[in-house]
Amino acid sequence: MVVHPMGLTYAANSLTIIAITDPNGNQKETFTDQQGRQILSRVKNESGVVQADTYHYYDDKGRIDKVFPPGSGPSDGELIYTYLYDGADNILKKKIPGQHLQEMRYDQRNL
């Protein structure tokens, strides 16, 4: 079972897990949902101890909405990657930790 920082719960066997082990024995696991969206990226050391979890949250249209880096939660606004879209699915605003809010503007051709 995976419990997401946004309060979502994924039952056992509801996510696909791909695990890759590097030459040092460290393992990266990627958990994806039935739509193929990455929900969780987990890094384990050679002993199998979880070192870092990065969670991805999607809006109702399936667009990436928030990324929670290791150790962050919904109340850690300055640590979370946040995206805001317009009706045409263009990114209007993007907040990356440690940077100022980025605002995008598009012409009539969405360029």
Side-chain angles (χ1 to χ4, degrees), residues 88 90 105-111:
N90 297 312
R105 300 190 193 273
Y106 300 89
D107 63 16
Q108 293 176 348
R109 297 179 295 163
N110 282 339
L111 300 176

Side-chain angles (χ1 to χ4, degrees), residues 10-25:
Y10 296 90
N13 300 319
S14 67
L15 299 174
T16 301
I17 304 169
I18 297 173
I20 299 172
T21 304
D22 70 17
N24 296 324

Side-chain angles (χ1 to χ4, degrees), residues 34-72:
Q34 294 177 350
Q35 287 88 27
R37 301 177 299 190
Q38 183 175 332
I39 302 300
L40 169 62
S41 177
R42 174 171 284 160
V43 177
K44 295 180 179 180
N45 66 14
E46 66 279 354
S47 301
V49 176
V50 174
Q51 299 295 302
D53 283 344
T54 300
Y55 290 90
H56 299 80
Y57 179 73
Y58 299 85
D59 65 14
D60 293 337
K61 292 180 81 176
R63 304 172 298 196
I64 189 73
D65 186 51
K66 293 178 179 21
V67 177
F68 296 90
S72 67

